[in-house]
Amino acid sequence: MNIILLGPPGAGKGTQARKLVDERNMVQLSTGDMLRAARTSGTEMGKMVAAVMDRGDLVTDEIVIGLIREQLESDNPGGGYIFDGFPRTLAQADALGRLLLDMGENLDCVIEMQVDDDALVDRITARATCKDCGEVYNDNTKPIPADGKCSNCGSSQIERRADDNEESLRTRLMAYYKQTSPLVGYYYAKGDLKSVDGLASMDEVAESIARALG
Ligand code: AMP
């Protein structure tokens, strides 16, 4: 089964993708994580996208489609793919459709995670992530353990993302509404869309997603 998690920054796509990986043996393809990895390892592409990402704008379709193509060509998981943070433009959505078709695969479901904008700003400015395992913390609902070590993997590398500040969040939200939200209509018209309330608790959202996937 191949699915897309669609929603604005802070909707909980990464958190839910990680649960699906654990529970359904699926592979998470997060273009945001791939771009951050390229920056950390200092590749030319990583250097090129750094400022764009920190500002909160989208990097070019060509770059992210290339990253996804590489991943799709390199492994073929039994449980299928979870696309997290991709596609974000209509051109990316068309490209993904073509890539899957070429592989003889289908897109089975697009889950739209709905959340209101005030909640996003609160969530994102309170967010921290374990650099080693991706566990997500929140100052209000799931604070970083007092010893500073990740409760999932024990790493002490819990960090706040450079773009998780109010200013770049506004730009990211604007990019979402201008460039990504048309995908809701696009996938609705294709008959692939299911919407869930992303403001419910993490477990409730996971249950809604499980129901949507059938
Ligand atoms: P994310 O971790 O999904 O919030 O992505 C972090 C940043 O990476 C975004 O604000 C964009 O600058 C960039 N990015 C991630 N995925 C995409 C994409 N599919 N298209 C364009 N830019 C992306």
Side-chain angles (χ1 to χ4, degrees):
M1 178 182 290
N2 299 306
I3 68 170
I4 294 174
L5 295 181
L6 184 63
K13 302 186 293 293
T15 302
Q16 294 298 330
R18 281 162 40 75
K19 277 179 93 71
L20 289 166
V21 168
D22 289 344
E23 289 160 15
R24 297 190 181 227
N25 199 26
M26 298 176 82
V27 167
Q28 175 188 11
L29 293 184
S30 156
T31 39
D33 286 349
M34 294 175 207
L35 292 165
R36 279 185 288 279
R39 290 180 63 170
T40 309
S41 54
T43 65
E44 277 312 305
M45 185 271 278
K47 286 181 202 154
M48 221 161 73
V49 297
V52 179
M53 289 176 74
D54 287 347
R55 233 180 16 246
D57 286 321
L58 295 188
V59 311
T60 64
D61 288 335
E62 200 188 347
I63 289 178
V64 287
I65 292 167
L67 287 170
I68 289 289
R69 182 185 296 115
E70 249 173 59
Q71 291 294 319
L72 293 182
E73 283 169 359
S74 72
D75 68 337
N76 192 354
Y81 292 105
I82 307 156
F83 297 95
D84 159 15
F86 180 91
R88 265 172 152 102
T89 64
L90 289 167
Q92 293 176 23
D94 282 337
L96 177 61
R98 280 194 300 273
L99 285 169
L100 289 172
L101 195 67
D102 287 350
M103 293 164 61
E105 291 277 338
N106 283 322
L107 183 61
D108 297 281
C109 189
V110 178
I111 306 272
E112 181 205 8
M113 301 181 64
Q114 297 177 323
V115 261
D116 80 51
D117 295 333
D118 285 341
L120 293 177
V121 178
D122 288 346
R123 270 194 191 178
I124 290 222
T125 47
R127 173 163 82 170
T129 310
C130 172
K131 201 175 164 198
D132 288 326
C133 76
E135 187 77 2
V136 180
Y137 294 90
N138 178 290
D139 296 339
N140 309 313
T141 56
K142 186 180 172 191
I144 299 168
D147 62 3
K149 296 213 168 91
C150 175
S151 52
N152 185 48
C153 75
S155 163
S156 43
Q157 304 244 52
I158 301 177
E159 295 182 335
R160 292 187 194 272
R161 280 171 43 170
D163 59 349
D164 274 353
N165 60 71
E166 213 161 327
E167 197 188 329
S168 62
L169 177 58
R170 297 278 165 203
T171 312
R172 285 155 73 198
L173 267 183
M174 191 60 85
Y176 180 77
Y177 285 116
K178 280 169 82 169
Q179 291 162 280
T180 309
S181 64
L183 297 186
V184 174
Y186 174 98
Y187 285 118
Y188 176 80
K190 280 176 165 275
D192 297 330
L193 192 78
K194 300 264 170 65
S195 299
V196 302
D197 172 13
L199 272 184
S201 74
M202 192 172 89
D203 289 339
E204 283 165 346
V205 177
E207 276 167 33
S208 311
I209 291 177
R211 270 196 302 277
L213 297 180

